[in-house]
């Protein structure tokens, strides 16, 4: 039995978690700066880093006290090292180094995108590999073949925007606020998903490619006309219909490519993670499509789809057990290490 402290600060959330054996969450605390960034319409990197610096020590303390544990109960420290906003990552990496150095603990560098897939271990006993993975978040919409926790080959992905980014942009042009995913999902509830004809790039073409920039432009033109600075020309009903149609287009594309990932990876299990995987319509569609294809579908709980430290502790546990320990010279990177295969 081993307890890993996970720390995540790659974007605008500062999070800490204590996870036992990569599976059981003992405690987790998340401090979002979402409300601070609503006025800016997105994350301001320097402000995010300063926010983490102010918040993180208290978040780690609260996580320990929620679990009723002291630092000496921890066996390893795992931290998001890439990809992300470098200033934000530096705050988490420095805190993790400080704890590791002070307590003589192993330090584990975790890839944030791989951790979104490893989130499927939380709350489950054993998971059979290989599996196919889709990560759909604010920064990524990529397909993977996964041989073990953190052992990923990228099969392809978006050639432009990420799905979450498209949700955020669509919400902005529809006047719905930030972050886009949850507000679009709410506005879509009363809307007709067939009311606005929107593009579904690469859907059904058998290639591991996604693209959301055409969809983003189409929703913008529908909402504002040719000039994005023009006022919104939809009434509340029209906004609901546009939100529902937009969500349906994203769900169609992601579900299609998730199933393709399973075929390409030759896997009977499909794992889907990242903030967009919290979307109820996407979850329902994936469940129906996976059942129809005889695939096992693994979805993290919605709170472990968006950025969180439990997934970092989970993957950190498996990497540590694999002997992957970082030195105190660990330096965060803005880009990830799992790159699409050449020629995709
Ligand atoms: O994984 P995440 O928390 O951060 C990144 O690693 O990027 O993903 C954040 C993204 C945002 O773009 C947000 O709009 C989207 O996930 N998102 C959703 C939902 N909840 C969050 N998109 C669709 N439906 C949701 N329920
Ligand atoms: Zn993320």
């Amino acid at each position: 039995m081993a307890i890993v402290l996970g720390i995540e600060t790659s974007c605008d959330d500062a999070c800490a978690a204590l996870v036992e054996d990569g599976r059981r969450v003992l405690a987790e605390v998340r401090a979002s700066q979402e409300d601070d960034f609503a006025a800016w319409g997105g994350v301001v990197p320097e402000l995010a880093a300063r926010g983490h610096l102010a918040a993180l020590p208290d978040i780690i303390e609260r996580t320990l006290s929620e679990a009723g544990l002291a630092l000496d109960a921890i066996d390893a420290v795992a931290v998001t090292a890439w990809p992300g906003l470098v200033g934000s990552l530096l705050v988490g990496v420095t805190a993790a180094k400080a704890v590791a150095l002070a307590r003589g603990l192993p330090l584990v560098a975790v890839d944030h995108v791989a951790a979104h897939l490893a989130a499927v271990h939380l709350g489950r006993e054993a998971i059979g590999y290989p599996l196919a993975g889709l990560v759909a978040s604010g920064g990524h919409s990529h397909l993977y073949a996964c041989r073990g926790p953190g052992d990923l080959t990228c099969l392809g992905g978006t050639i432009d925007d990420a799905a979450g980014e498209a949700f955020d942009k669509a919400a902005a042009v529809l006047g719905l606020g930030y972050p886009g995913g949850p507000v679009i999902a709410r506005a879509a509830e009363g809307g007709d998903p067939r009311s606005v004809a929107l593009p579904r790039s690469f859907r059904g073409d058998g290639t591991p490619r996604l693209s959301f920039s055409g969809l983003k432009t189409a929703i913008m033109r529908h909402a504002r006309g040719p000039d994005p600075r023009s006022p919104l020309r939809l009434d509340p009903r029209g906004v609901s219909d546009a939100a529902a149609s937009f969500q349906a287009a994203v769900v169609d594309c992601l579900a299609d490519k998730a199933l393709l990932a399973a075929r390409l990876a030759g896997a009977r299990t499909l794992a889907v993670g990242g903030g967009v995987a919290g979307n109820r319509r996407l979850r329902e569609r994936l469940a129906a499509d996976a059942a129809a294809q005889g695939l096992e579908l693994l979805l993290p709980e919605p709170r472990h789809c968006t950025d969180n430290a439990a997934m970092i502790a989970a993957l950190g546990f498996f990497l540590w057990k694999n002997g992957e320990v970082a030195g105190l010279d660990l330096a965060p990177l803005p880009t990830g290490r799992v790159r699409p295969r050449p020629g995709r």
Side-chain angles (χ1 to χ4, degrees), residues 36 43 54 58 60 65 90 155 180 209 268 283 310:
D36 303 343
V43 179
D58 180 53
I60 295 172
S65 78
L90 258 178
L155 302 169
R209 292 181 298 177
R268 302 308 303 159
R283 296 169 80 89

Side-chain angles (χ1 to χ4, degrees), residues 14 97 103 106 172 213 218 241 257 265-266 341:
K97 284 181 185 175
R103 311 302 305 188
S213 73
D241 284 344
K257 300 301 177 176
R341 288 211 304 254

Side-chain angles (χ1 to χ4, degrees), residues 45-282:
E46 180 61 24
L47 296 183
R50 291 184 201 192
H52 294 333
L53 199 54
L56 194 56
D58 180 53
I59 288 169
I60 295 172
E61 295 274 347
R62 275 163 53 205
T63 308
L64 286 162
S65 78
E66 197 182 283
L69 295 173
L71 273 180
D72 60 8
I74 296 168
D75 298 293
V77 186
V79 63
T80 307
W82 46 72
L85 303 171
V86 153
S88 291
L89 288 168
L90 258 178
V91 177
V93 167
T94 307
K97 284 181 185 175
V99 176
L101 181 64
R103 311 302 305 188
L105 296 173
L107 174 70
V108 188
V110 173
D111 180 295
H112 179 91
V113 181
H116 270 305
L117 286 182
V120 298
H121 284 275
L122 297 168
R124 288 194 178 89
E125 273 317 307
I127 285 180
Y129 284 87
L131 52 82
L134 165 69
V135 176
S137 68
H140 286 79
S141 289
H142 285 82
L143 314 174
Y144 300 93
C146 194
R147 287 169 299 275
D151 185 357
L152 311 184
T153 302
C154 183
L155 302 169
T158 181
I159 60 164
D160 41 55
D161 299 333
E165 192 182 348
F167 266 100
D168 294 338
K169 296 273 162 53
V173 297
L174 292 172
L176 292 170
Y178 173 86
V183 289
I184 292 254
R186 212 169 307 127
E189 263 161 35
D192 175 0
R194 284 170 303 274
S195 56
V196 187
L198 294 169
R200 284 148 170 83
S201 304
F202 301 136
R203 184 188 180 204
D205 74 348
T207 71
R209 292 181 298 177
L210 286 154
S211 164
F212 295 106
S213 73
L215 173 62
K216 198 176 72 180
T217 306
I219 197 78
M220 191 175 76
R221 293 178 80 91
H222 176 74
R224 312 245 165 193
D227 183 350
R229 292 162 303 183
S230 307
L232 184 63
R233 56 185 201 185
L234 302 174
D235 61 12
R237 170 89 226 168
V239 168
S240 269
D241 284 344
S245 302
F246 171 85
Q247 179 175 252
V250 177
V251 167
D252 281 348
C253 294
L254 290 177
D256 176 51
K257 300 301 177 176
L259 293 191
L260 176 67
R263 287 202 292 283
L264 293 176
R268 302 308 303 159
T269 305
L270 172 64
V272 183
V276 182
N279 184 277
R280 192 166 60 81
R281 290 291 164 150
L282 177 62

